[in-house]
Amino acid sequence: MKYVLSVASIALLGITPSCSDLSHKSSDNSSYPVKFSVGNVDPRFGVSPEKLRVLTDKAVSVWEEPVGLHLFEPDDPAPLKINLVFDDRQQKKFDEKHLRSKLDAGGKSYDVLMQEYDSEVLLEKKLESDYASEQSSLQQKLDAHNARVAYWNARGGAPSVEFSSLSIAEREIDNLRESLERHRQYLNKTNDNVKSLSDAINNLVTDYNLQVSNYNGRFVGSREFEKGAFNGREINIYEFDDDADLELTLIHELGHALGFDHVDDPQSIMYYKLEKQDRKNIHLSAQDLNLVKRKFSELTKRF
Ligand SMILES: [Zn+2]
C-alpha cells in the first residue's frame, strides 16, 4: 500500500528589520571631552553595568582613535548618563529570539525526518519491485510444475526418476514461497515506517506552520521604533540584539552627544537606521569621519 505524504507548504519568513529610527537631539554647546557615566541598567537586559561600561569604552574609542582626539571622559557622577531602559521593545526582541530558535529547531527536525523518509521510500520502492519479480518468477515455476504434474497424472503417474525430480521442484517452490513471505513481511514493515514517518512529518509541519504564522503575525512587517535616544542629558537604550548591536547603538548615540546629526550613507554610524553597518568590524565611515573633522578642526586647528 502506498501512502501519500501531504507536506503543507512552509510559509516564508519575512524580514524583521533590525534597524530602528533613532530619534535624537544633538547638543551643540557641549564642552569637550564629554563626561559620561553608566546610569541605570535594567537587569532584565542581562548586561551588567560593568559590561556596559566596557562596551561604552569601546564605543568611545571608535570615535577617538581615527582622529587621535580625547572626546569623552568617564566620570562619576557625570552630566551624561548612559541607561539601559527595559520595556516592551526589548521584551519583544527576547520573545522573537525564543520563537525563532524554536522555529530553527523545528526546521532541523524536519530536515532529519525528510532524509529518513526519502531513504525509506527508496527502500520501499526497491522492495516492491523485488517482491513483484520474485512473485512472478514463483508463479512461472509453479505453472511449469503444475503442467508437469498434470502431464504425468494424465499418464497414470510419473516414473520414479521423474517423481523424485518433481518432489525436488516442489521443495524449491516451497522455499521460494517462504522467501516471498519473508519479503512480504519486510515490505509491510517498510510501508508502516513510511506511514509513521509521513505522519510525524505532517504533524511537525502543521505545528511549524502554526508557529511561523504566529511569528510572522507578531514580528514581521513594519517595525520602526526608537532603539536609543540622546536627549541632551542622557543616552537611553531600549533595544538591541547582542553586544555588537549594543556597541553600535552606543557609538551612534555618543555621536549625537558630540553634536552630530544623521548622515545619508546607510553604512555610516550616524545613519538613522542601524541596519547596514558592518557589525563585525565597527568603524567610522568617510561621512562619519568628516563629521568629526569638520567639528574639531576649528577647536584643534588640525586636519
Ligand atoms: Zn540618531
Side-chain angles (χ1 to χ4, degrees):
M1 192 192 286
K2 290 243 179 184
Y3 298 99
V4 180
L5 178 78
S6 59
V7 178
S9 62
I10 293 171
L12 280 177
L13 291 174
I15 298 162
T16 304
S18 56
C19 53
S20 323
D21 191 287
L22 290 134
S23 81
H24 62 93
K25 191 174 141 213
S26 303
S27 65
D28 282 327
N29 48 2
S30 308
S31 57
Y32 301 96
V34 174
K35 293 190 173 172
F36 70 92
S37 63
V38 166
N40 295 319
V41 177
D42 194 303
R44 284 173 287 181
F45 281 98
V47 172
S48 66
E50 293 73 24
K51 185 168 178 182
L52 180 59
R53 177 58 210 283
V54 169
L55 288 171
T56 306
D57 287 345
K58 282 174 79 177
V60 160
S61 69
V62 169
W63 282 114
E64 291 183 339
E65 267 177 21
V67 288
L69 291 173
H70 185 47
L71 302 174
F72 294 95
E73 191 168 287
D75 195 9
D76 204 4
L80 177 66
K81 296 276 184 209
I82 299 173
N83 307 314
L84 296 189
V85 182
F86 193 96
D87 58 21
D88 60 337
R89 285 168 275 199
Q90 187 67 16
Q91 186 57 54
K92 199 166 183 179
K93 169 66 69 184
F94 286 155
D95 292 349
E96 180 198 346
K97 276 187 175 174
H98 178 66
L99 193 49
R100 187 73 199 221
S101 72
K102 270 173 76 180
L103 284 175
D104 289 347
K108 275 184 198 137
S109 314
Y110 173 81
D111 290 345
V112 169
L113 280 177
M114 273 311 285
Q115 268 182 10
E116 221 175 302
Y117 174 82
D118 287 345
S119 74
E120 205 70 5
V121 165
L122 273 181
L123 175 66
E124 185 185 43
K125 281 188 181 142
K126 185 182 181 310
L127 290 176
E128 273 168 356
S129 125
D130 288 355
Y131 182 81
S133 64
E134 226 175 294
Q135 198 174 30
S136 111
S137 134
L138 173 64
Q139 195 57 51
Q140 277 174 14
K141 286 197 163 88
L142 199 57
D143 291 346
H145 180 72
N146 286 341
R148 278 172 75 193
V149 170
Y151 173 86
W152 288 112
N153 280 348
R155 281 156 185 74
S160 65
V161 176
E162 193 60 36
F163 183 82
S164 59
S165 157
L166 281 170
S167 306
I168 290 167
E170 208 163 300
R171 277 202 296 279
E172 275 174 12
I173 285 167
D174 282 346
N175 287 341
L176 283 175
R177 262 206 197 97
E178 280 168 25
S179 152
L180 190 66
E181 172 59 15
R182 282 195 298 275
H183 280 179
R184 191 188 64 79
Q185 286 173 8
Y186 186 25
L187 177 59
N188 279 356
K189 197 170 168 298
T190 309
N191 289 151
D192 289 346
N193 286 348
V194 169
K195 169 81 168 69
S196 24
L197 278 167
S198 78
D199 286 349
I201 290 167
N202 284 338
N203 288 339
L204 187 81
V205 167
T206 307
D207 188 45
Y208 182 81
N209 283 350
L210 265 176
Q211 288 186 41
V212 166
S213 125
N214 179 14
Y215 180 92
N216 286 344
R218 286 186 66 194
F219 303 115
V220 178
S222 156
R223 195 168 73 94
E224 296 233 328
F225 54 86
E226 240 175 37
K227 191 178 178 67
F230 169 69
N231 62 16
R233 289 170 291 104
E234 52 193 1
I235 288 174
N236 289 328
I237 292 179
Y238 304 107
E239 189 257 12
F240 52 88
D241 277 323
D242 50 22
D243 287 359
D245 192 30
L246 175 54
E247 188 188 333
L248 193 59
T249 312
L250 282 165
I251 304 169
H252 180 96
E253 297 306 332
L254 287 172
H256 286 315
L258 288 174
F260 303 146
D261 283 329
H262 290 153
V263 297
D264 57 14
D265 163 26
Q267 291 183 325
S268 292
I269 298 287
M270 290 316 291
Y271 189 62
Y272 82 105
K273 281 184 182 181
L274 297 182
E275 183 180 37
K276 297 197 169 145
Q277 294 82 356
D278 182 0
R279 293 179 190 212
K280 291 198 174 111
N281 173 28
I282 302 177
H283 61 279
L284 299 184
S285 71
Q287 288 194 0
D288 294 322
L289 211 49
N290 275 339
L291 292 171
V292 196
K293 287 182 177 175
R294 267 208 311 271
K295 184 167 189 88
F296 294 96
S297 62
E298 281 301 302
L299 294 175
T300 63
K301 308 289 178 214
R302 287 172 56 188
F303 312 123

